[in-house]
Amino acid sequence: MHELPETIAVDLVLLPPGPIMDLAIGANRTLLAGNPDGAIRLDRGGCLPHISVAMLPARRGDIPEISAKVERITQRCSPMALTIDAVAKHRKNVGETVSTFHILRAEILQLFHKAVMNAVMPYQAAPTGPSAFSGEASAPSVDCLLRFPKTSAYERYSPHITLGFGDLPEIIPGIDFPVRFEVTKAALCHLGSHCTCRRVLAAFDLGRGGAATRR
C-alpha cells in the first residue's frame, strides 16, 4: 500500500481517449529519440497523457471531499468534444523547450475548468515543497504547482497535453491537424516531477458519475 504524504500535489485532469493517448505517447517517443535522457516518458501506467484542469497542494485528509465535489461536477457535465489544432512550444527559464499538443479552449471546457477551480481551491493547503510529489520533484515543478491559480487559471487557462522536452516538428507524419476527439473521463492525480500524472487517486466518468478511488 502506497502511503500518501500529509500534503499532496494534486492535478484534476481530463484523460484523453486511447487513440489520443497513443498519439501523445508516439510524439513523446519522437522527442526521446532526439533526447534519450528526456525527463518525461509518457505511458499509460505511471505517466499518463492528460489535460490539466486544476492544480493545487491539498491535505491528505481533504482528498475524499475534493473527490466528492469533482464527482458532482462530472455528473452534470456531458462528454466533451475537443480539438487539437497544433503543436505548441514553450521556452522554460532554464533554456529548455517543452512541446505540447495545443487544445482549443471550447466553451464547455472553460466552464468545466472554472467550476472545478471554484470547487477545489478552498482546499488549497499551505505552500509546500518536493515532499508533496510522487517521487523526486524539481524546483520548477513546485513553482508550477504553487503558481497555477495565478498564471494558468480562469482567463489564463490554456488547455494542452504536455508531450515532453524538446523541439517537436510542427508537421508530424501520420497526424493531420486539427485532430478532433471526445473526452469521457476525468481523474484526480498525484503529481510527479515536471507535473506529470504519476498516480490516479480517483477516476470519474463524465455524465455518469461513479468515482473509483484508489489509495
Side-chain angles (χ1 to χ4, degrees):
M1 180 68 68
H2 180 79
E3 183 66 25
L4 293 171
E6 183 61 33
T7 299
I8 308 167
V10 297
D11 196 1
L12 284 303
V13 308
L14 292 170
L15 297 177
I20 302 302
M21 282 202 176
D22 290 341
L23 283 183
I25 291 169
N28 172 254
R29 295 300 180 268
T30 298
L31 289 170
L32 289 172
N35 181 19
D37 297 326
I40 297 175
R41 184 175 293 272
L42 298 177
D43 59 50
R44 292 202 189 199
C47 195
L48 288 168
H50 65 278
I51 304 163
S52 291
V53 175
M55 196 181 295
L56 71 157
R59 290 179 291 274
R60 182 174 60 197
D62 288 335
I63 294 299
E65 284 189 28
I66 293 172
S67 296
K69 290 205 170 186
V70 173
E71 180 181 12
R72 285 195 287 272
I73 295 170
T74 59
Q75 285 176 330
R76 299 193 300 267
C77 183
S78 301
M80 299 183 202
L82 301 180
T83 301
I84 299 169
D85 66 336
V87 170
K89 300 164 191 180
H90 306 278
R91 306 284 191 250
K92 297 297 183 181
N93 293 334
V94 293
E96 293 180 300
T97 298
V98 175
S99 292
T100 71
F101 281 152
H102 179 265
I103 295 174
L104 294 178
R105 194 173 66 177
E107 183 178 5
I108 187 174
L109 178 54
Q110 179 66 14
L111 290 172
F112 182 77
H113 160 73
K114 182 178 179 180
V116 171
M117 283 292 295
N118 290 343
V120 303
M121 289 316 294
Y123 296 95
Q124 184 171 20
T128 187
S131 63
F133 288 72
S134 176
E136 298 180 359
S138 62
S141 301
V142 177
D143 184 62
C144 180
L145 170 73
L146 299 180
R147 294 179 60 195
F148 185 90
K150 290 185 178 180
T151 64
S152 303
Y154 298 109
E155 69 275 6
R156 293 186 175 90
Y157 181 54
S158 179
H160 62 274
I161 300 173
T162 297
L163 302 173
F165 290 98
D167 198 343
L168 192 69
E170 294 181 8
I171 299 176
I172 305 172
I175 302 180
D176 294 321
F177 297 109
V179 178
R180 296 177 176 84
F181 61 99
E182 185 178 73
V183 168
T184 63
K185 296 184 180 298
L188 171 62
C189 294
H190 189 183
L191 287 174
S193 195
H194 308 294
C195 294
T196 50
C197 281
R198 293 293 182 179
R199 184 163 177 256
V200 174
L201 303 176
F204 315 91
D205 292 322
L206 299 186
R208 295 196 294 268
T213 302
R214 298 197 299 241
R215 292 290 301 274

